[in-house]
Amino acid sequence: SEMCIRDSASSHATGQFRTALAGYLRNTLGCTVDEEHMVLAGGAGTAVESLVFSVLDHGDGIMLPTPYYPGFTLDLLSRTGAQIVPVVRDSAKQFQLERPHLEESLAQSKSRVRALLLTSPCNPTTQMLSEESLTLALDFAVQHDLHVICDEVYAGSSLSPEKFVSARRVANAHSAEASQLCHVVWGLAKDFPLAGLRVGCSIISNPELRSAVQVLSRFHGISADTMQLLAHMLSDQPFMQRFTAQNHEQLQGRHRQVATKLDASSIPYIPAQAGLFVWLDLRRFMMGNSWEAEHELWHRILHEGKVNITRGQACNAPEPGWFRMCIAHVDDATLDTVVGRLDSVLSCE
Protein backbone atom coordinates (compact mmCIF):
# COMPACT_ATOMS: atom_id res chain seq x y z
CA SER A 1 0.00 0.00 0.00
CA GLU A 2 0.99 3.65 -0.28
CA MET A 3 1.32 3.85 3.52
CA CYS A 4 3.73 0.89 3.61
CA ILE A 5 5.84 2.43 0.83
CA ARG A 6 6.07 5.71 2.74
CA ASP A 7 6.98 3.95 6.00
CA SER A 8 9.64 1.88 4.22
CA ALA A 9 11.13 4.96 2.57
CA SER A 10 11.20 6.83 5.89
CA SER A 11 12.87 3.91 7.64
CA HIS A 12 15.49 3.62 4.90
CA ALA A 13 16.24 7.37 5.04
CA THR A 14 16.51 7.23 8.83
CA GLY A 15 18.97 4.32 8.70
CA GLN A 16 21.16 5.97 6.08
CA PHE A 17 21.17 9.26 7.93
CA ARG A 18 21.94 7.74 11.33
CA THR A 19 24.92 5.88 9.87
CA ALA A 20 26.25 8.96 8.08
CA LEU A 21 25.70 11.22 11.10
CA ALA A 22 27.37 8.77 13.47
CA GLY A 23 30.43 8.72 11.22
CA TYR A 24 30.60 12.50 11.12
CA LEU A 25 30.21 12.78 14.89
CA ARG A 26 32.97 10.24 15.53
CA ASN A 27 35.34 12.43 13.53
CA THR A 28 34.13 15.73 14.96
CA LEU A 29 33.80 14.72 18.62
CA GLY A 30 36.83 12.45 18.55
CA CYS A 31 35.14 9.58 20.37
CA THR A 32 33.08 6.47 19.78
CA VAL A 33 29.45 7.10 18.83
CA ASP A 34 27.08 4.13 18.80
CA GLU A 35 24.18 4.63 16.39
CA GLU A 36 21.88 2.94 18.90
CA HIS A 37 22.72 5.63 21.46
CA MET A 38 21.64 8.47 19.16
CA VAL A 39 18.20 10.06 19.50
CA LEU A 40 17.30 12.34 16.58
CA ALA A 41 15.46 15.59 17.23
CA GLY A 42 14.15 18.67 15.45
CA GLY A 43 17.16 20.79 16.41
CA ALA A 44 19.75 20.87 19.19
CA GLY A 45 17.54 23.10 21.35
CA THR A 46 14.77 20.51 21.17
CA ALA A 47 17.25 17.78 22.11
CA VAL A 48 18.39 19.72 25.19
CA GLU A 49 14.81 20.44 26.23
CA SER A 50 13.78 16.80 25.86
CA LEU A 51 16.67 15.69 28.06
CA VAL A 52 15.82 18.26 30.72
CA PHE A 53 12.13 17.34 30.58
CA SER A 54 13.03 13.67 31.03
CA VAL A 55 15.48 14.16 33.89
CA LEU A 56 13.86 16.89 36.00
CA ASP A 57 10.55 17.12 37.80
CA HIS A 58 8.67 20.41 38.03
CA GLY A 59 10.57 22.77 40.31
CA ASP A 60 13.86 20.86 40.17
CA GLY A 61 17.05 22.78 39.54
CA ILE A 62 19.56 22.57 36.68
CA MET A 63 22.99 24.11 37.21
CA LEU A 64 24.18 26.33 34.37
CA PRO A 65 27.56 28.12 34.29
CA THR A 66 27.33 31.82 33.50
CA PRO A 67 27.39 33.47 31.06
CA TYR A 68 25.25 31.26 28.85
CA TYR A 69 23.28 31.19 25.61
CA PRO A 70 20.23 33.51 26.00
CA GLY A 71 17.90 30.93 24.42
CA PHE A 72 18.43 28.48 27.27
CA THR A 73 15.99 30.41 29.43
CA LEU A 74 13.16 29.67 27.00
CA ASP A 75 14.39 26.19 26.07
CA LEU A 76 14.78 24.96 29.63
CA LEU A 77 11.91 26.57 31.52
CA SER A 78 8.87 26.86 29.27
CA ARG A 79 7.60 23.28 29.50
CA THR A 80 9.74 21.64 32.15
CA GLY A 81 9.04 23.96 35.05
CA ALA A 82 12.72 23.66 35.94
CA GLN A 83 14.71 26.28 37.82
CA ILE A 84 18.06 27.52 36.54
CA VAL A 85 20.74 27.45 39.24
CA PRO A 86 23.54 29.78 38.05
CA VAL A 87 27.16 28.70 38.45
CA VAL A 88 29.08 31.99 38.60
CA ARG A 89 32.48 31.84 36.89
CA ASP A 90 35.34 34.31 37.30
CA SER A 91 35.87 36.71 34.40
CA ALA A 92 39.45 37.30 35.57
CA LYS A 93 40.15 33.65 34.68
CA GLN A 94 38.34 33.92 31.34
CA PHE A 95 35.29 32.13 32.77
CA GLN A 96 37.04 28.80 33.36
CA LEU A 97 34.98 26.18 35.19
CA GLU A 98 36.31 25.33 38.66
CA ARG A 99 35.12 22.88 41.33
CA PRO A 100 34.48 25.58 44.01
CA HIS A 101 32.05 27.30 41.62
CA LEU A 102 30.01 24.09 41.35
CA GLU A 103 30.03 23.35 45.07
CA GLU A 104 29.00 26.88 45.97
CA SER A 105 26.15 26.88 43.46
CA LEU A 106 24.84 23.54 44.68
CA ALA A 107 25.03 24.60 48.33
CA GLN A 108 23.13 27.83 47.67
CA SER A 109 20.38 26.29 45.52
CA LYS A 110 16.88 26.42 46.96
CA SER A 111 15.75 23.73 44.51
CA ARG A 112 16.59 20.05 44.37
CA VAL A 113 19.34 19.95 41.77
CA ARG A 114 19.19 17.07 39.29
CA ALA A 115 21.45 18.12 36.42
CA LEU A 116 24.36 20.24 35.21
CA LEU A 117 24.22 21.78 31.73
CA LEU A 118 27.55 22.62 30.09
CA THR A 119 28.33 24.16 26.71
CA SER A 120 31.61 23.56 24.94
CA PRO A 121 32.57 25.50 22.93
CA CYS A 122 30.65 28.12 24.91
CA ASN A 123 28.19 30.60 23.52
CA PRO A 124 28.95 33.48 24.23
CA THR A 125 32.53 33.28 25.59
CA THR A 126 33.89 31.05 22.74
CA GLN A 127 35.90 29.09 25.32
CA MET A 128 36.23 25.30 25.19
CA LEU A 129 36.15 23.12 28.30
CA SER A 130 39.49 21.39 28.81
CA GLU A 131 39.82 17.74 29.72
CA GLU A 132 40.70 18.86 33.23
CA SER A 133 37.53 20.99 33.54
CA LEU A 134 35.35 18.21 32.16
CA THR A 135 36.91 15.71 34.55
CA LEU A 136 36.25 17.88 37.60
CA ALA A 137 32.67 18.42 36.42
CA LEU A 138 32.17 14.66 36.07
CA ASP A 139 33.78 14.04 39.47
CA PHE A 140 31.27 16.49 40.92
CA ALA A 141 28.33 14.94 39.05
CA VAL A 142 29.15 11.38 40.08
CA GLN A 143 29.59 12.42 43.71
CA HIS A 144 26.21 14.17 43.79
CA ASP A 145 24.39 11.83 41.36
CA LEU A 146 23.69 14.55 38.80
CA HIS A 147 23.11 14.18 35.08
CA VAL A 148 25.51 16.16 32.88
CA ILE A 149 24.16 17.50 29.59
CA CYS A 150 26.89 18.92 27.37
CA ASP A 151 25.80 21.05 24.42
CA GLU A 152 28.55 20.66 21.82
CA VAL A 153 26.73 22.30 18.92
CA TYR A 154 29.86 24.36 18.06
CA ALA A 155 32.19 21.33 18.15
CA GLY A 156 32.99 21.68 14.45
CA SER A 157 33.62 25.42 14.75
CA SER A 158 36.74 25.23 16.90
CA LEU A 159 39.65 27.37 15.72
CA SER A 160 41.98 24.54 16.77
CA PRO A 161 40.02 21.31 16.14
CA GLU A 162 42.75 19.19 17.71
CA LYS A 163 42.19 20.98 21.04
CA PHE A 164 38.45 20.27 21.27
CA VAL A 165 37.64 17.58 23.83
CA SER A 166 34.16 16.04 23.90
CA ALA A 167 32.51 15.41 27.26
CA ARG A 168 31.55 12.00 25.95
CA ARG A 169 35.16 10.99 25.44
CA VAL A 170 36.09 12.12 28.94
CA ALA A 171 33.04 10.42 30.49
CA ASN A 172 33.79 7.11 28.79
CA ALA A 173 37.32 7.20 30.17
CA HIS A 174 36.20 8.42 33.59
CA SER A 175 33.93 5.64 34.86
CA ALA A 176 30.85 3.55 34.09
CA GLU A 177 28.82 5.91 36.32
CA ALA A 178 29.98 8.98 34.41
CA SER A 179 29.19 7.34 31.07
CA GLN A 180 25.61 6.73 32.21
CA LEU A 181 25.19 10.25 33.61
CA CYS A 182 26.78 12.23 30.75
CA HIS A 183 24.77 13.05 27.60
CA VAL A 184 26.00 15.04 24.59
CA VAL A 185 23.88 17.19 22.27
CA TRP A 186 24.80 18.31 18.75
CA GLY A 187 23.00 19.88 15.79
CA LEU A 188 23.54 21.14 12.23
CA ALA A 189 22.60 24.76 12.93
CA LYS A 190 26.08 26.14 13.63
CA ASP A 191 28.84 24.08 12.08
CA PHE A 192 27.34 23.92 8.58
CA PRO A 193 25.13 26.10 9.11
CA LEU A 194 21.74 24.55 8.35
CA ALA A 195 19.49 25.93 11.08
CA GLY A 196 16.44 25.96 8.82
CA LEU A 197 16.43 22.17 8.43
CA ARG A 198 15.93 21.74 12.21
CA VAL A 199 18.19 18.75 12.79
CA GLY A 200 19.82 17.75 16.06
CA CYS A 201 20.56 14.71 18.15
CA SER A 202 21.46 13.60 21.63
CA ILE A 203 23.90 10.81 22.43
CA ILE A 204 22.71 8.88 25.47
CA SER A 205 24.30 5.73 26.87
CA ASN A 206 21.75 5.39 29.68
CA PRO A 207 19.06 3.05 28.25
CA GLU A 208 16.21 4.20 30.53
CA LEU A 209 16.80 7.88 29.81
CA ARG A 210 17.27 7.15 26.11
CA SER A 211 13.88 5.43 25.99
CA ALA A 212 12.21 8.41 27.63
CA VAL A 213 13.78 10.88 25.20
CA GLN A 214 12.90 8.65 22.23
CA VAL A 215 9.23 8.81 23.20
CA LEU A 216 9.36 12.61 23.15
CA SER A 217 11.18 12.60 19.80
CA ARG A 218 7.99 11.36 18.12
CA PHE A 219 6.62 14.90 18.43
CA HIS A 220 9.52 16.67 16.74
CA GLY A 221 10.86 14.27 14.14
CA ILE A 222 12.96 15.01 11.08
CA SER A 223 11.40 14.55 7.67
CA ALA A 224 12.50 11.65 5.46
CA ASP A 225 13.40 14.10 2.68
CA THR A 226 15.69 16.05 5.01
CA MET A 227 17.38 12.91 6.28
CA GLN A 228 17.94 11.59 2.76
CA LEU A 229 19.44 14.90 1.65
CA LEU A 230 21.79 15.03 4.65
CA ALA A 231 22.75 11.37 4.39
CA HIS A 232 24.05 12.04 0.86
CA MET A 233 25.88 15.18 2.00
CA LEU A 234 27.54 13.61 5.06
CA SER A 235 28.50 10.51 3.07
CA ASP A 236 30.17 12.55 0.32
CA GLN A 237 33.71 12.40 1.73
CA PRO A 238 35.40 14.62 -0.90
CA PHE A 239 32.80 17.33 -0.30
CA MET A 240 32.98 16.99 3.50
CA GLN A 241 36.76 17.24 3.49
CA ARG A 242 36.68 20.35 1.29
CA PHE A 243 33.90 21.95 3.30
CA THR A 244 35.51 21.25 6.69
CA ALA A 245 38.90 22.56 5.58
CA GLN A 246 37.42 25.68 3.97
CA ASN A 247 35.14 26.34 6.92
CA HIS A 248 38.01 26.19 9.41
CA GLU A 249 40.25 28.29 7.19
CA GLN A 250 37.64 31.03 6.75
CA LEU A 251 36.61 31.00 10.41
CA GLN A 252 40.22 31.26 11.57
CA GLY A 253 40.81 34.06 9.09
CA ARG A 254 37.76 35.99 10.24
CA HIS A 255 38.76 35.72 13.92
CA ARG A 256 42.29 36.91 13.10
CA GLN A 257 40.84 39.80 11.15
CA VAL A 258 38.53 40.79 14.00
CA ALA A 259 41.29 40.48 16.60
CA THR A 260 43.57 42.73 14.53
CA LYS A 261 40.91 45.41 14.18
CA LEU A 262 39.88 45.28 17.85
CA ASP A 263 43.52 45.50 18.94
CA ALA A 264 44.06 48.51 16.68
CA SER A 265 41.09 50.22 18.34
CA SER A 266 42.17 49.15 21.85
CA ILE A 267 38.87 47.34 22.39
CA PRO A 268 39.46 44.46 24.83
CA TYR A 269 38.07 40.97 24.31
CA ILE A 270 38.67 37.37 25.31
CA PRO A 271 40.82 35.62 22.68
CA ALA A 272 38.46 33.34 20.79
CA GLN A 273 38.80 29.57 20.80
CA ALA A 274 35.74 28.74 18.68
CA GLY A 275 32.37 29.93 17.48
CA LEU A 276 30.88 32.57 15.26
CA PHE A 277 31.27 35.56 17.61
CA VAL A 278 33.64 37.35 19.95
CA TRP A 279 33.13 38.20 23.65
CA LEU A 280 33.92 41.88 24.19
CA ASP A 281 34.97 43.40 27.51
CA LEU A 282 33.58 46.93 27.45
CA ARG A 283 33.54 47.47 31.21
CA ARG A 284 35.94 50.41 31.13
CA PHE A 285 33.74 52.27 28.65
CA MET A 286 30.70 52.36 30.95
CA MET A 287 29.69 55.31 33.11
CA GLY A 288 29.29 53.04 36.13
CA ASN A 289 29.37 49.42 37.23
CA SER A 290 25.68 48.57 36.89
CA TRP A 291 23.26 46.88 34.52
CA GLU A 292 21.75 50.31 33.88
CA ALA A 293 25.14 51.57 32.73
CA GLU A 294 25.52 48.52 30.49
CA HIS A 295 22.11 49.19 28.97
CA GLU A 296 23.01 52.82 28.36
CA LEU A 297 26.23 51.84 26.59
CA TRP A 298 24.37 49.28 24.49
CA HIS A 299 21.76 51.95 23.65
CA ARG A 300 24.47 54.34 22.46
CA ILE A 301 26.19 51.69 20.34
CA LEU A 302 22.83 50.81 18.77
CA HIS A 303 21.45 54.30 18.15
CA GLU A 304 24.63 56.29 17.52
CA GLY A 305 26.77 53.62 15.93
CA LYS A 306 23.88 51.69 14.34
CA VAL A 307 25.48 48.44 15.52
CA ASN A 308 23.50 45.84 17.43
CA ILE A 309 25.49 43.60 19.77
CA THR A 310 24.12 41.36 22.51
CA ARG A 311 24.24 42.68 26.06
CA GLY A 312 25.91 40.57 28.70
CA GLN A 313 22.81 40.75 30.86
CA ALA A 314 20.90 38.87 28.16
CA CYS A 315 23.52 36.11 28.50
CA ASN A 316 23.29 36.18 32.30
CA ALA A 317 26.85 37.45 32.57
CA PRO A 318 28.04 37.57 36.19
CA GLU A 319 28.89 41.28 35.95
CA PRO A 320 27.95 44.21 33.69
CA GLY A 321 30.03 45.28 30.73
CA TRP A 322 30.40 42.16 28.56
CA PHE A 323 28.94 42.02 25.05
CA ARG A 324 28.69 39.35 22.34
CA MET A 325 29.43 40.45 18.78
CA CYS A 326 28.58 38.03 15.96
CA ILE A 327 31.21 38.16 13.21
CA ALA A 328 30.76 35.26 10.80
CA HIS A 329 27.70 36.36 8.83
CA VAL A 330 28.98 39.62 7.31
CA ASP A 331 31.48 40.42 4.57
CA ASP A 332 34.84 42.11 5.14
CA ALA A 333 33.63 45.59 4.22
CA THR A 334 30.70 45.35 6.64
CA LEU A 335 33.00 44.12 9.39
CA ASP A 336 35.32 47.10 8.83
CA THR A 337 32.33 49.41 9.15
CA VAL A 338 31.08 47.69 12.30
CA VAL A 339 34.39 47.92 14.16
CA GLY A 340 34.90 51.49 12.94
CA ARG A 341 31.51 52.56 14.25
CA LEU A 342 32.08 50.72 17.52
CA ASP A 343 35.44 52.48 17.92
CA SER A 344 33.81 55.84 17.18
CA VAL A 345 31.17 55.41 19.89
CA LEU A 346 33.59 54.05 22.49
CA SER A 347 36.14 56.81 21.81
CA CYS A 348 33.57 59.33 23.03
CA GLU A 349 33.18 57.57 26.40
Side-chain angles (χ1 to χ4, degrees), residues 17-50:
F17 175 58
R18 293 175 72 90
T19 299
L21 180 58
Y24 173 80
L25 291 177
R26 291 185 195 108
N27 291 331
T28 303
L29 303 184
C31 62
T32 58
V33 176
D34 190 329
E35 289 181 42
E36 297 304 313
H37 293 173
M38 293 167 45
V39 181
L40 303 179
T46 300
V48 171
E49 198 272 350
S50 295

Side-chain angles (χ1 to χ4, degrees), residues 285-304:
F285 300 102
M286 299 196 306
M287 300 301 292
N289 184 27
S290 67
W291 297 115
E292 290 76 16
E294 179 185 276
H295 183 273
E296 176 161 342
L297 179 58
W298 170 81
H299 190 271
R300 287 199 57 198
I301 293 171
L302 178 64
H303 291 277
E304 295 179 21

Side-chain angles (χ1 to χ4, degrees), residues 14-305:
T14 302
Q16 283 186 318
F17 175 58
R18 293 175 72 90
T19 299
L21 180 58
Y24 173 80
L25 291 177
R26 291 185 195 108
N27 291 331
T28 303
L29 303 184
C31 62
T32 58
V33 176
D34 190 329
E35 289 181 42
E36 297 304 313
H37 293 173
M38 293 167 45
V39 181
L40 303 179
T46 300
V48 171
E49 198 272 350
S50 295
L51 276 164
V52 174
F53 186 82
S54 299
V55 169
L56 276 67
D57 290 329
H58 188 91
D60 283 349
I62 179 167
M63 298 171 64
L64 187 54
T66 63
Y68 54 78
Y69 166 55
F72 276 148
T73 302
L74 179 64
D75 292 348
L76 302 182
L77 307 185
S78 297
R79 182 169 65 135
T80 66
Q83 301 295 317
I84 291 178
V85 180
V87 179
V88 179
R89 294 184 285 185
D90 188 356
S91 62
K93 297 182 179 180
Q94 298 190 344
F95 302 98
Q96 294 179 25
L97 185 66
E98 298 180 338
R99 181 68 181 257
H101 302 154
L102 297 171
E103 295 289 358
E104 182 179 3
S105 177
L106 182 63
Q108 294 179 352
S109 175
K110 297 179 181 179
S111 306
R112 181 186 69 157
V113 175
R114 294 290 297 119
L116 167 65
L117 174 58
L118 304 173
T119 59
S120 182
C122 176
N123 177 1
T125 70
T126 80
Q127 303 301 289
M128 296 186 290
L129 289 172
S130 65
E131 185 170 352
E132 180 183 2
S133 295
L134 289 167
T135 298
L136 70 84
L138 290 167
D139 288 342
F140 172 80
V142 170
Q143 178 182 341
H144 296 286
D145 192 28
L146 303 178
H147 288 268
V148 177
I149 302 168
C150 194
D151 183 340
E152 298 181 352
V153 72
Y154 287 99
S157 296
S158 166
L159 301 185
S160 301
E162 70 280 0
K163 294 183 179 179
F164 171 76
V165 180
S166 173
R168 182 167 181 82
R169 192 183 93 186
V170 178
N172 289 342
H174 184 283
S175 62
E177 292 88 349
S179 180
Q180 293 294 298
L181 288 171
C182 182
H183 326 295
V184 166
V185 170
W186 183 85
L188 271 76
K190 311 302 179 184
D191 289 345
F192 281 90
L194 292 170
L197 294 184
R198 307 305 303 156
V199 174
C201 78
S202 49
I203 307 170
I204 309 170
S205 296
N206 187 312
E208 292 184 358
L209 178 58
R210 187 167 65 248
S211 294
V213 175
Q214 282 174 334
V215 170
L216 295 175
S217 71
R218 295 178 57 197
F219 303 105
H220 44 75
I222 306 168
S223 75
D225 290 340
T226 297
M227 288 189 287
Q228 187 172 34
L229 170 69
L230 293 175
H232 286 304
M233 182 187 77
L234 294 172
S235 300
D236 186 344
Q237 292 306 311
F239 165 77
M240 291 299 299
Q241 290 172 4
R242 290 196 307 272
F243 172 80
T244 301
Q246 185 176 2
N247 187 44
H248 284 143
E249 180 183 352
Q250 292 186 348
L251 194 59
Q252 290 168 345
R254 174 50 58 90
H255 274 285
R256 285 195 299 268
Q257 179 186 13
V258 171
T260 298
K261 294 182 181 302
L262 292 175
D263 290 341
S265 298
S266 298
I267 300 174
Y269 59 94
I270 289 184
Q273 294 184 358
L276 314 178
F277 33 79
V278 64
W279 190 230
L280 303 176
D281 178 6
L282 305 186
R283 288 176 292 179
R284 68 182 176 89
F285 300 102
M286 299 196 306
M287 300 301 292
N289 184 27
S290 67
W291 297 115
E292 290 76 16
E294 179 185 276
H295 183 273
E296 176 161 342
L297 179 58
W298 170 81
H299 190 271
R300 287 199 57 198
I301 293 171
L302 178 64
H303 291 277
E304 295 179 21

